[in-house]
Amino acid sequence: MTGFQFQFCSVSKVYDGHSALSGVSFTVTAGEHLSILGPSGCGKSTALRLLAGLEPPSQGQVLLDGMPISQPNQVLMPPSLRGIAMVFQDLALWPNLTALDNVLLGLSGAKLTRREARARSEETLNLCGIASLAHRRPGQLSGGQQQRVALARALAARPKLLVLDEPFSSVDIMTKARLLGEVRSLAAQQNLTVVLVSHDPLEAAAICQNAVVLEDGRVQEQGSLSDLMQDPQSQMLMTFRDYHRLQ
Amino acid sequence: MISCLWLERPGAWRMAGVIGVLFLAALPAAPLFLQVILAHEPLSLGGAFGTALWNSFAVAIATGVLAFAFGLPAGVLSALYEFRGRAAFLAIAMLPALVPSFLWAIGWATLTGRISPAVTDLISRQTGCVLVFLAGAVPLVLIASHVAAIGLSGSQIDAARLAGGEKAVLRYVSGAAAVPAALAALLSAVLTLSDPGPGQILALRTAASEILTSFSSLYDFNLAGCQCAVLAMLVLLLAAPLAWLAAPRLSVQIMARQTRSLRRPGLGRAAIWITASFTLLIAGTIAMPVLGLLLPLLRGIDFAQASGVVGRTSVNTLVYAGGAGVVATLLALLLALFVGRDNRLRSICLGVGLAILALPPALGSLGIMHMAAGAPAWTDPLLRSRATVCFVLGLRFLPAAVVLTMRAWQSMPVSWVQAAELHGISLALYVRRVVIPFLLPSTAAAIALVALLATADVGTVLLLHPPGKTSFPLAIFTVMANAPESLVASLCLAYLGLAAGLLAVMWTFMRRQAR
């Protein structure tokens, strides 16, 4: 894999006078598995949208290999050219299309022939263990199966960076554990760079080595997840540690 | 390549688009308003117009109050409990909303005429008009309260049940449904002010029937225009606060939500009483006038003549209905696109839409005629054709299409567009593969609903149809005074049968979609 680096440089985002992110800086390097941790409403998903180029920042810059790709109120590089694929919190599967068509439509921007796109879609669905359900629509699939389709759609694009926006928040713990294991092995197998957004440090620890902890739109701490867990500075990780000591 | 995110981007273009479409919707009404506002001489409204206005308002108030009294409990009970015939009752209760009110007036007039003069006196004028209007008003209130009640989550109902049993449930749900029901009752009362049919048939001078008389019998366009504009201003005075109050609430209600839907328990013996009450309600508003339409057929059905009328008018009726449906739905889709996820714009659209719906239908039609009178001949295809009728009918029922399409549009999550953008899908491809297939069922439902409502609107077609291009309900309206009773009854029943058939198709389609 070629090396690359996404950088958040003092990024802020304001919606209708309300600050969602304030002076946030962190880096995602090729091969890294980074978690953005924080309680609900702390700006995690906003950070992902800015990273993906779905929205411009209000202040600061997003850089790719040192070149600005987003600057205040301007997206310089469109999302489709950043090499980022995302599994959304609500999965964002198009309900009128089958699992296969969801993946195929996701490849329409990839400049592949129809045959190549179909072959790659089937291959990725197979990789995600959902090939037998390729002709079912999302409404005919269970929550866990839908997660796999969303993952297949993201992976089929062969992204530089796979972004997971709390995708496992609505499945039971058994399915979550199985899916986390599968994502970890897929990431290793495909040599993927992963950014996982979560409010659960355990979930983050299942996939990621590093973490950025956000609270009230600001970075409270960042570094190796194991170090952060040992000596937490943020309210979130301290509460998590205390809770587990009580247990 | 145009970005898919364009569909979700805020900007001044949204407000400009909404204003443009709403301006177009209000355009036919503008000439008469301007004429009245800019008039240099005092307005002449005719001697009896004051009395007619008084009668109209008395009927409107009685209709609104009674519709609330019957519609609220019926809506709440049908939402909360399972009882024998619940689905059928709801379907039948919808029927009057899709049938011109003058059909019920003909039914009542025929029925009472066969019983005794005393009954005819009792069910005529104000009482008769209120009875006829209740057939359309009760379903409106019933549907509003039913929708408000099923909008509550199963958990909320269970909490009320645990706190105080069925009484607490009824109290809680009735409280939640009371405001939408009151607004629906007010809207149905305002709508009676614009309907000329029952007043003409049941010998009551109403403002709407006076306007029709001024135009179609006295051929006095100016008088009709002034009367119509004055009525419209009074209606607007009433409708504006209603729209102001209802729009934000409706704006929230039309948003699709995911909640645990309520479970409908049976009520044992009490269910018999509910079934009986619904039977009485249906009998009082629908079955009796239908009986009135059936009685003349005992002497024989005028099948040949009736089928001749149906055959002669069916193409025009379909063109007017389908055209109105397409115009209203296309404009509604445009509005849904412009509104996007902006709550304020959604409230504005719904508020203005409610106000437009409440205006007398003759206002737009007379306005178009006013424009046509001074326009050159080359504008005839625009101002004096079947397309004109479709356009004006479509604008009138735009709010019905707006509610359906806006709800469907809002139920597409932002993340769909974001996913499409991340995968480099072009806007055209996204719209073709995702948006259009997703909106298709709601669009079809909107076209069908507006088509049915437009078919029931006689006033617009009466004033605007090109010579010889009459619609089926208008044919009934024009022959009802002179044709044999059996022919009129045959035509009315044919209309009812067609409306019921279409309603059944729509009902089945929507139930299948819901599953």
Side-chain angles (χ1 to χ4, degrees), chain A residues 77-90:
Chain A
M77 181 188 275
S80 56
L81 301 182
R82 296 186 177 201
I84 295 177
M86 192 186 288
V87 178
F88 289 83
Q89 189 169 10
D90 64 357

Side-chain angles (χ1 to χ4, degrees), chain A residues 24-35:
Chain A
V24 171
S25 299
F26 63 86
T27 304
V28 188
T29 313
E32 183 181 3
H33 294 178
L34 174 78
S35 175

